[in-house]
Amino acid sequence: MENQQERRQNFSKRLTQIELENRMILFSYTVVADFFEFQADHLFFMNATDSVGKEWIFVGKFHASDTVGNYVSISLPWFAVEKGLKANDEITFTEIPQGNRSWKNFKVVIKRKIRLFGQDIWGELMV
C-alpha cells in the first residue's frame, strides 16, 4: 500500500561563509514547512542527535520579510565550533518520529566534499 502522506522527512542545505561567520543557518520557510508551523517572530527549539550520539538543542526563529518572504534562522554556535564546520559543508536534519509529542527530534548529519583520486566524494563528518 502506498504512503498516502507525501511529507518530507528531512531538510538540508550547503552552508555559506556568511552563515558560518554568524553561526546561524537560514532556510526559506517553504523548506521547513512540513516540520514547523510558521509564527512570525516566535522562537522554537529543536532537539538533535549527531552522528556520534551527542545531543544538541538548536534555537530557531521565524522571520517575516516583505522582500524575501518568510524564512527561518537556526542558531548553532557551539555546534559549528565543535564540528569545525566549513563553507560548502552540507547539513541535514532528519526528523525522528515521536508520536503525538509537541516537540521535534532530529538526527543531524554533516557531510563534507573531499577530492580523492581525482573524484569528488561526499563523506559524513564523524566528530
Side-chain angles (χ1 to χ4, degrees):
M1 182 173 193
E2 286 185 37
N3 185 357
Q4 296 176 354
Q5 186 178 12
E6 292 294 325
R7 187 173 176 281
R8 293 176 41 177
Q9 299 299 312
N10 63 50
F11 57 98
S12 64
K13 76 172 300 192
R14 289 201 188 153
L15 301 173
T16 67
Q17 187 61 41
I18 292 172
E19 288 172 319
L20 292 171
E21 289 169 4
N22 294 317
R23 295 196 174 110
M24 181 176 300
I25 53 178
L26 304 174
F27 290 95
S28 165
Y29 179 66
T30 57
V31 173
V32 299
D34 285 339
F35 305 95
F36 306 104
E37 182 180 336
F38 187 83
Q39 298 175 20
D41 297 321
H42 281 78
L43 297 177
F44 64 93
F45 299 91
M46 296 171 51
N47 294 344
T49 304
D50 66 18
S51 298
V52 294
K54 184 171 181 178
E55 293 190 20
W56 299 86
I57 296 175
F58 298 107
V59 178
K61 184 176 181 182
F62 298 104
H63 304 270
S65 168
D66 292 334
T67 54
V68 296
N70 296 340
Y71 68 98
V72 172
S73 62
I74 299 174
S75 179
L76 37 91
W78 300 115
F79 184 81
V81 171
E82 187 170 313
K83 297 294 181 183
L85 298 181
K86 297 181 179 181
N88 293 317
D89 284 353
E90 183 177 272
I91 187 167
T92 301
F93 293 94
T94 303
E95 185 176 15
I96 301 169
Q98 297 295 309
N100 293 329
R101 295 183 181 164
S102 59
W103 66 88
K104 302 282 185 179
N105 284 336
F106 293 88
K107 175 159 177 73
V108 59
V109 173
I110 303 296
K111 291 186 177 179
R112 181 169 292 158
K113 183 169 60 171
I114 60 171
R115 192 142 182 93
L116 186 63
F117 302 115
Q119 299 292 319
D120 289 336
I121 298 171
W122 284 92
E124 187 174 340
L125 260 159
M126 300 295 287
V127 292

